[in-house]
Amino acid sequence: MHRRTLTVREVERAVAPGVRQRLWTYDGTAPGPTLHGRIGDTFVITLVNHGSMGHSVDFHAGTLAPDRPMRTIAPGQSLTYRFTATKAGIWLYHCASMPMDAHIASGMFGAVVIDPPHLPPVAHSYVLVQSELYLGPQGGTVNLAKLNAERPDEVVFNGYADQYDHAPLTAKVGQRVRSGVLDAGPDRPTSLHVVGGQFDTVYEEGSYRLRRGTTRSSRT
Amino acid sequence: MHRRTLTVREVERAVAPGVRQRLWTYDGTAPGPTLHGRIGDTFVITLVNHGSMGHSVDFHAGTLAPDRPMRTIAPGQSLTYRFTATKAGIWLYHCASMPMDAHIASGMFGAVVIDPPHLPPVAHSYVLVQSELYLGPQGGTVNLAKLNAERPDEVVFNGYADQYDHAPLTAKVGQRVRSGVLDAGPDRPTSLHVVGGQFDTVYEEGSYRLRRGTTRSSRT
Amino acid sequence: MHRRTLTVREVERAVAPGVRQRLWTYDGTAPGPTLHGRIGDTFVITLVNHGSMGHSVDFHAGTLAPDRPMRTIAPGQSLTYRFTATKAGIWLYHCASMPMDAHIASGMFGAVVIDPPHLPPVAHSYVLVQSELYLGPQGGTVNLAKLNAERPDEVVFNGYADQYDHAPLTAKVGQRVRSGVLDAGPDRPTSLHVVGGQFDTVYEEGSYRLRRGTTRSSRT
């Protein structure tokens, strides 16, 4: 049983060097906190809305209806969700209040990672959430015209422009690394590619596309 | 043997509340009628062109050459096609007359569903064809500038904006539902996601990506 | 052991009938030469920069770090790379010098084809590399404004607009054809579809998605 409170806060944050935006967040960061569990685990999540408008949370990791148990709540309210993870993967959660793309583009998204059974150990495990920045004025909110035109200023990982150029995710040659990759959008697809690296195992959309050992033996 | 006539008609239709467009259609609707069969079935389709210009039909479910058996025919003409389905899936058919994207964007597309063997029974079976609207003036034809710029006014399912918000496709909790999903475009990819739901079986591009039972047992 | 020299040359080339552009190339063509090998093969590639600015090559078929062994070299310099192919597929190589999208859009891309084991014989084998043209003035260089706006003038196969309309890749009815398909971009995804044809075998991103015989028997 995973019990967790997510608190909606509308805060000003840096999204690139020298660039500050008014974000709508879960727990003050965009993306919000990563939740982690296994198949069969139950999550009991309490959403507390400390924002200035209606917000909500829609967990793709479960099968709750967004119009009822995951409905929008007014400022000052809270709501508790309970779901059991039955399928492995990295699942989006996001605010589903309208206009939904503006809530997501303002920072209201995050990941629930449900491990498939029998995951081998790795030296490093990372989560990369891709999203877009549609920059408003300094300290201001998302630019809706850019959002409607699907013309982001930046496509970023984990909410901050080019951050891993400056502080790379590290691993030593020969180490195995696992990365959860989630595209929160709201618009752009992802084409993740590790420069100088090749994946030997890929679990995507509910099943292994590549699996070290298994895939090779089925090919030869 | 499936014998069917598809009649091209250029008609005015509602595509959103209060929005009417001059569409080019198979049998008066966009998408055109859904054809349904099994592997090994033969389809004999007669195209009748009651439109004002050359039109055609290109069936992806078969392997006919579009420049010869599936060629463009003039108004008043008809042409009969015969193909045998050898591969399962949901296959596009569309007008391939030039400019092809304008013919598709004007409504000349539809689906042929070829069932894979041994499909289990379901409570509901739906077909969702995604396409784009590039709106011209009220009662007018497709806006080619928007089409060339790939800037649709709407991305719709089964030809009408937001129709399933107003009249949802229904199922009861616990029922199994099968949906055929086809992206007719002509431009946008699809990212179909059932809010509050998760797929346990996915057949995509010729094979099962997920299969209830099989996939799970190969994972554990 | 495959030994090969790739020479960077900045040259004027036709990219469409009557349209000439200043390209940056490997060996004078865009795409550059296709390299071909098997799993376990070692490639020793020497890059010679006869261009007017820094250039480089990044081989996705291997696992060399682009910032060190595959670094940018100045005009007049050369550099030798050595990598061993451990995974099958059609892999991009491209110039990784900044601004990388401009180097790729100017022609600096190509394919390394690593065959999976036990490929059956085919009557014809083709390589199709998709890329975009962001046309500058006649005889001039890539239009950076179009590139930044992701608004290509053309999406082309093997570097020349509509070339296979005029000189089709041929096969006879009943012959088996293998096509390697690589999307060099730098921006657009590919939705390759053979008009009048259906694939019975698809090897994609490291594994078979469809395989004649195997896939069918697992379905029935």
Side-chain angles (χ1 to χ4, degrees):
Chain A
M1 179 86 79
H2 303 262
R3 292 187 184 278
R4 183 76 183 245
T5 297
L6 293 180
T7 303
V8 176
R9 298 184 192 281
E10 300 171 3
V11 294
E12 192 180 303
R13 288 282 180 268
V15 296
V19 181
R20 299 183 68 81
Q21 292 283 283
R22 186 86 185 164
L23 301 182
W24 307 343
T25 74
Y26 299 105
D27 283 8
T29 64
T34 298
L35 308 179
H36 205 123
R38 297 180 183 189
I39 291 177
D41 287 1
T42 294
F43 291 78
V44 180
I45 309 289
T46 298
L47 181 73
V48 179
N49 186 355
H50 283 179
S52 65
M53 71 194 83
H55 289 297
S56 60
V57 64
D58 174 349
F59 287 101
H60 291 194
T63 54
L64 299 174
D67 55 346
R68 300 250 283 261
M70 297 198 292
R71 66 187 180 275
T72 295
I73 58 173
Q77 292 189 324
S78 68
L79 189 56
T80 297
Y81 314 85
R82 182 192 182 96
F83 65 87
T84 297
T86 61
K87 295 189 172 59
I90 181 165
W91 299 91
L92 182 67
Y93 68 84
H94 65 91
C95 185
S97 303
M98 292 298 163
M100 195 194 303
D101 58 351
H103 283 252
I104 294 172
S106 296
M108 301 193 76
F109 57 85
V112 178
V113 178
I114 306 299
D115 287 342
H118 309 301
L119 274 187
V122 290
H124 298 278
S125 183
Y126 297 119
V127 168
L128 294 168
V129 182
Q130 179 180 311
S131 66
E132 298 124 29
L133 296 175
Y134 302 87
L135 297 173
Q138 181 75 350
T141 57
V142 64
N143 182 310
L144 295 175
K146 293 177 184 175
L147 176 61
N148 288 335
E150 302 176 17
R151 301 294 311 162
D153 297 281
E154 302 279 352
V155 176
V156 301
F157 288 105
N158 296 340
Y160 193 94
D162 300 327
Q163 62 178 307
Y164 300 114
D165 281 359
H166 302 288
L169 302 174
T170 59
K172 292 180 181 161
V173 171
Q175 285 184 328
R176 284 181 67 73
V177 176
R178 179 175 300 123
S179 298
V181 179
L182 176 70
D183 187 358
D187 279 322
R188 293 297 175 104
T190 190
S191 300
L192 188 86
H193 145 56
V194 175
V195 174
Q198 296 175 331
F199 298 109
D200 63 14
T201 300
V202 176
Y203 185 94
E204 185 185 7
E205 300 280 327
S207 67
Y208 284 100
R209 300 296 190 224
L210 283 182
R211 196 170 189 179
R212 190 169 59 149
T214 308
T215 309
R216 183 180 305 273
S217 67
S218 74
R219 283 219 309 265
T220 56
Chain B
M1 180 86 79
H2 304 261
R3 292 187 183 277
R4 183 74 182 247
T5 295
L6 294 180
T7 303
V8 176
R9 298 184 192 281
E10 302 170 4
V11 294
E12 192 180 304
R13 287 282 179 269
V15 296
V19 181
R20 297 183 69 83
Q21 292 281 284
R22 186 85 184 162
L23 301 181
W24 307 343
T25 73
Y26 298 105
D27 282 7
T29 65
T34 298
L35 309 180
H36 205 124
R38 298 181 182 189
I39 291 177
D41 286 1
T42 294
F43 291 78
V44 181
I45 310 290
T46 298
L47 181 73
V48 179
N49 186 354
H50 283 179
S52 66
M53 71 195 84
H55 289 297
S56 59
V57 63
D58 174 348
F59 286 102
H60 291 196
T63 55
L64 299 173
D67 54 345
R68 299 249 285 260
M70 297 199 292
R71 67 188 179 274
T72 294
I73 59 174
Q77 292 190 323
S78 69
L79 187 57
T80 297
Y81 314 85
R82 182 191 181 96
F83 64 87
T84 298
T86 61
K87 296 187 171 61
I90 181 165
W91 298 92
L92 182 67
Y93 68 84
H94 64 92
C95 184
S97 303
M98 292 296 163
M100 194 194 304
D101 58 350
H103 284 252
I104 294 172
S106 296
M108 301 192 77
F109 56 85
V112 179
V113 178
I114 306 300
D115 286 343
H118 309 301
L119 273 186
V122 291
H124 299 278
S125 183
Y126 296 120
V127 169
L128 294 168
V129 182
Q130 180 180 310
S131 67
E132 298 124 30
L133 295 175
Y134 302 86
L135 297 173
Q138 181 75 349
T141 56
V142 64
N143 182 309
L144 295 175
K146 293 177 185 176
L147 176 60
N148 288 335
E150 301 175 17
R151 303 292 313 162
D153 296 282
E154 301 280 351
V155 176
V156 302
F157 287 105
N158 295 340
Y160 192 93
D162 301 328
Q163 64 178 307
Y164 300 115
D165 281 358
H166 303 286
L169 302 175
T170 59
K172 292 180 180 162
V173 170
Q175 284 184 327
R176 284 181 67 72
V177 175
R178 179 174 300 124
S179 298
V181 179
L182 176 70
D183 188 357
D187 279 322
R188 294 297 176 101
T190 189
S191 300
L192 187 87
H193 145 57
V194 175
V195 174
Q198 297 175 331
F199 298 109
D200 63 15
T201 301
V202 176
Y203 185 93
E204 185 185 7
E205 300 280 326
S207 66
Y208 283 100
R209 301 296 189 224
L210 282 182
R211 196 170 189 178
R212 190 169 58 150
T214 309
T215 308
R216 184 180 304 275
S217 67
S218 74
R219 282 221 308 264
T220 55
Chain C
M1 179 88 78
H2 303 262
R3 292 187 184 278
R4 184 74 183 246
T5 295
L6 294 180
T7 303
V8 177
R9 298 184 193 281
E10 301 170 4
V11 295
E12 193 180 305
R13 288 282 180 269
V15 297
V19 181
R20 299 183 68 81
Q21 292 282 283
R22 186 85 185 163
L23 301 181
W24 308 342
T25 74
Y26 299 105
D27 283 7
T29 64
T34 298
L35 308 180
H36 205 124
R38 298 181 181 188
I39 291 176
D41 286 1
T42 294
F43 291 78
V44 180
I45 309 290
T46 297
L47 181 73
V48 179
N49 185 354
H50 282 180
S52 65
M53 71 194 83
H55 289 296
S56 60
V57 64
D58 174 349
F59 287 101
H60 291 195
T63 55
L64 299 174
D67 55 346
R68 300 248 285 260
M70 296 198 293
R71 67 187 178 274
T72 295
I73 59 174
Q77 292 190 323
S78 68
L79 188 56
T80 297
Y81 313 85
R82 182 191 181 97
F83 65 87
T84 298
T86 61
K87 296 187 171 61
I90 182 166
W91 298 92
L92 182 66
Y93 68 85
H94 65 91
C95 185
S97 302
M98 292 296 162
M100 194 193 304
D101 58 350
H103 283 253
I104 294 172
S106 295
M108 302 193 76
F109 57 84
V112 179
V113 178
I114 306 299
D115 286 342
H118 310 300
L119 276 187
V122 291
H124 297 279
S125 183
Y126 297 119
V127 168
L128 294 168
V129 182
Q130 178 180 310
S131 67
E132 299 125 28
L133 295 176
Y134 302 87
L135 296 173
Q138 180 77 349
T141 56
V142 63
N143 182 310
L144 294 176
K146 292 177 185 174
L147 176 60
N148 288 335
E150 302 175 16
R151 302 294 310 161
D153 297 282
E154 301 279 353
V155 176
V156 301
F157 287 106
N158 295 340
Y160 193 95
D162 300 327
Q163 63 178 307
Y164 300 114
D165 281 359
H166 303 286
L169 302 174
T170 58
K172 292 179 181 162
V173 170
Q175 284 185 326
R176 284 181 67 72
V177 176
R178 179 175 300 125
S179 297
V181 179
L182 177 70
D183 186 358
D187 279 321
R188 292 298 175 103
T190 190
S191 300
L192 188 86
H193 145 57
V194 175
V195 174
Q198 297 175 331
F199 298 109
D200 64 14
T201 300
V202 176
Y203 184 94
E204 185 185 7
E205 300 278 327
S207 66
Y208 284 100
R209 301 296 190 224
L210 284 182
R211 196 170 190 179
R212 189 169 58 149
T214 308
T215 308
R216 182 180 306 272
S217 66
S218 75
R219 283 219 308 264
T220 56

